[in-house]
Amino acid sequence: MSFNLSKCLIANRGEIAVRIIRACHELGIRAVSVYADADRHAQHVRRADEAYPLAGSSPAETYLDSAKLIELALESACDCVHPGYGFLSESDTFAQAVIDAGLIWVGPPPSAIRQMGVKTEARVLMQQAGVPLVPGYQDGGDDSDYLAAADQIGYPVMVKAAGGGGGKGMRVVTRPDDLPDALQAARREAQHAFGDDRVFLERYVERARHVEIQVLADQHGHTVHLFERECSAQRRHQKVIEESPAPMLDAETRAQMGAAGIAAARAVGYVNAGTVEFIVTPGGDFYFLEMNTRLQVEHPVTELVTGLDLVKLQFAVASGEALPFTQSDLTQRGHAIECRLYAEDPRNGFLPAVGELIQFHPPEGIGVRVDAGVASGDTITIHYDPLLAKIIVYDRTRADAIRRMDTALRDTVILGTTTNRDFLRTLINHPAFAAGEVDTGFIERHLDALTPPEAPISDLALIAAALHDTYSRPTPETAALSTDPWSRADGFRLGVGQNG
């Protein structure tokens, strides 16, 4: 890749910011981080070439302050902005403001974000493009209109927020008497989460699987798909494990879904990386669910089975380059699985956990990749998502990848906070997961069996870990002798960069 981008402001934090920084450095682009008060010593700050404070702790006054982000991008002489995922990544107004400021937006056109951002409008566009849609109702009205529509659609139905996703504003309704209360609750939640209380109905597909298509398009009219990811292992509509290829998906359905993904992207003039999500019925039919107009959390599994670097390709497309391949050039090889490692307590309703990471030793080895936003000594706070790292493995077959993932999780050492590591191990070792028979409701139905008793940790082990942490931290004298830039972090001057 050869283009003129030289400096990028990363409007995000955590592991995705670290991931983008790595791609920037490999492309010769200087990476500029921003940070909230709680993230002053975070990994995405330490690893950037420059880092600037956002002065605040809440998302609204930091990573969601679009004016402040653009101001910092201009003041630090950046020529582009990468939003990562979450926060402002799917804000068409932020994307447009970046472009209006004379900066390059490393993402899709604001018009595509806007059209796909309102689910009811997206359904109309998909219907016009010939993309399969689950039966639904999106015409608005009072509760009587929704009740009449639900009778026609057939129960169970799902109430969904028109202006957002991520499980917010969603309710499954199995009988007419429950629909009015579900509509009210969904509207309240949608208003709180997205500032938009509009809702719509879809037929709820029981025992459905969640399969998504990664698409990529350049500014020259070329659009391809990079095959599928299976994301059916979910809890409360939040993905837990992702993999590619999708088990139980035949070649014909894979090709049809890929073509539907491309049609969906072209319908809105899509450019850059995006994901078209589908639900798949037990009988193998598939229907459009939504489009995520950004990089996905689970993009590494696609990278491992295709051999492509999606973040580098995002920068190439944003700079005006044409895709260096056609659909016929692309193949899936082997099998990749990703587990999301969270600081949360599965035995206590998956409540987020906070505290200092006394020790964090991610797994290593052939076919093991870890995208982490934390290291030993970092503090997990209440302010942001508790995702610690993504553990991704690759192997020749799915069975081999499952065994490699189990070993990787077993080798992951975390002291100082509660995590879902053991929950993940139990899930991937469940016979239904091994057989590829997990649907989106599997975890909720089997939650008790998937939440193993807590393994006791001896006081001696905790004392040993604490002593190791204390005596392994570099002193100023030893840090000065180290060749590792991160062990010399005291010399990193926030706001001016490593070399400034």
Side-chain angles (χ1 to χ4, degrees):
M1 297 180 187
S2 58
F3 45 86
N4 296 322
L5 297 181
S6 61
K7 198 173 188 181
C8 178
L9 182 128
I10 301 163
N12 219 298
R13 66 179 299 279
E15 65 84 17
I16 189 58
V18 173
R19 166 73 181 91
I20 298 166
I21 289 168
R22 183 182 304 117
C24 284
H25 288 166
E26 291 178 3
L27 290 170
I29 298 172
R30 288 180 64 83
V32 177
S33 281
V34 291
Y35 61 93
D37 293 344
D39 284 337
R40 183 176 181 81
H41 301 292
Q43 294 304 303
H44 75 279
V45 176
R46 291 170 176 256
R47 298 189 180 218
D49 297 290
E50 300 173 27
Y52 297 92
L54 292 172
S57 294
S58 72
E61 59 188 353
T62 55
Y63 302 104
L64 291 175
D65 190 332
S66 58
K68 190 183 296 184
L69 291 167
I70 293 173
E71 180 183 359
L72 286 172
L74 295 172
E75 288 180 351
S76 58
C78 290
D79 48 25
C80 61
V81 173
H82 196 306
Y85 57 73
F87 293 126
L88 293 170
S89 63
E90 291 182 282
S91 169
D92 62 292
T93 55
F94 180 56
Q96 189 63 58
V98 168
I99 295 168
D100 290 345
L103 299 162
I104 292 175
W105 170 252
V106 187
S111 59
I113 299 174
R114 182 168 53 254
Q115 289 175 294
M116 283 300 191
V118 180
K119 308 308 181 204
T120 49
E121 295 180 15
R123 281 178 57 87
V124 173
L125 288 168
M126 294 304 98
Q127 188 172 32
Q128 294 171 349
V131 178
L133 284 174
V134 65
Y137 172 78
Q138 60 210 44
D139 295 336
D142 57 26
D143 286 3
S144 63
D145 296 314
Y146 283 90
L147 282 163
D151 286 338
Q152 186 173 4
I153 294 168
Y155 288 88
V157 296
M158 177 172 279
V159 182
K160 302 179 71 174
K168 302 290 194 305
M170 296 176 65
R171 297 290 189 280
V172 177
V173 183
T174 59
R175 59 194 189 103
D177 290 348
D178 296 332
L179 184 57
D181 287 344
L183 288 168
Q184 291 182 25
R187 288 177 180 132
R188 285 194 303 269
E189 189 172 330
Q191 178 64 39
H192 177 75
F194 312 116
D196 183 349
D197 68 354
R198 289 176 296 171
V199 297
F200 65 103
L201 300 179
E202 281 185 349
R203 177 185 293 164
Y204 178 66
V205 180
E206 298 184 273
R207 305 278 174 150
R209 289 164 50 215
H210 185 147
V211 180
E212 59 191 27
I213 298 293
Q214 175 72 59
V215 295
L216 186 66
D218 62 24
Q219 300 176 32
H220 306 277
H222 307 129
T223 306
V224 299
H225 71 81
L226 306 183
F227 309 101
E228 83 287 353
R229 297 185 289 257
E230 173 98 31
C231 308
S232 298
Q234 300 180 8
R235 189 188 65 81
R236 298 176 185 169
H237 309 295
Q238 296 289 328
K239 300 167 186 174
V240 177
I241 296 177
E242 301 97 346
E243 58 182 310
S244 184
M248 315 296 286
L249 194 68
D250 59 66
E252 182 180 359
T253 304
R254 176 176 290 111
Q256 292 173 349
M257 291 184 74
I262 290 176
R266 287 176 172 164
V268 293
Y270 202 85
V271 175
N272 216 276
T275 298
V276 184
E277 304 197 352
F278 297 93
I279 54 173
V280 182
T281 71
D285 296 323
F286 64 90
Y287 301 105
F288 173 80
L289 183 62
E290 64 180 357
M291 185 175 190
N292 293 129
T293 52
R294 54 172 169 77
L295 188 69
Q296 289 279 89
V297 178
E298 57 271 23
H299 75 274
V301 295
T302 294
E303 293 183 326
L304 290 179
V305 297
T306 61
L308 300 173
D309 188 314
L310 278 173
V311 181
K312 287 185 180 180
L313 286 166
Q314 283 191 291
F315 280 109
V317 167
S319 71
E321 286 195 11
L323 293 178
F325 44 73
T326 64
Q327 190 66 57
S328 61
D329 296 323
L330 300 171
T331 57
Q332 273 176 314
R333 294 195 177 100
H335 199 95
I337 301 175
E338 172 181 295
C339 285
R340 302 189 187 190
L341 184 67
Y342 282 100
E344 63 183 10
D345 188 356
R347 301 170 192 84
N348 191 21
F350 292 86
L351 287 176
V354 298
E356 181 184 351
L357 281 177
I358 297 172
Q359 287 290 308
F360 175 54
H361 293 292
E364 300 175 341
I366 296 173
V368 178
R369 166 177 167 178
V370 179
D371 284 15
V374 296
S376 296
D378 286 354
T379 299
I380 311 302
T381 73
I382 62 172
H383 299 292
Y384 303 104
D385 188 272
L387 180 65
L388 300 177
K390 300 179 307 195
I391 299 175
I392 315 102
V393 301
Y394 174 84
D395 214 321
R396 185 177 58 87
T397 68
R398 185 172 187 268
D400 291 336
I402 290 174
R403 284 190 289 269
R404 178 161 284 172
M405 177 60 78
D406 185 48
T407 300
L409 290 170
R410 183 193 64 195
D411 292 347
T412 302
V413 177
I414 306 164
L415 292 174
T417 188
T418 304
T419 75
N420 66 335
R421 189 201 71 155
D422 292 343
F423 169 79
L424 293 169
R425 287 195 70 192
T426 304
L427 177 54
I428 65 165
N429 284 297
H430 194 285
F433 186 86
E437 297 173 350
V438 172
D439 60 76
T440 57
F442 177 83
I443 289 179
E444 303 297 341
R445 294 195 304 270
H446 299 274
L447 191 56
D448 289 342
L450 294 171
T451 310
E454 186 171 6
I457 300 177
S458 70
D459 291 341
L460 183 60
L462 291 173
I463 293 170
L467 288 172
H468 177 273
D469 180 63
T470 298
Y471 289 106
S472 63
R473 288 179 178 174
T475 65
E477 292 77 14
T478 58
L481 298 175
S482 175
T483 58
D484 176 7
W486 311 127
S487 66
R488 292 183 280 116
D490 287 342
F492 183 94
R493 291 182 286 165
L494 300 177
V496 296
Q498 284 175 257
N499 300 317

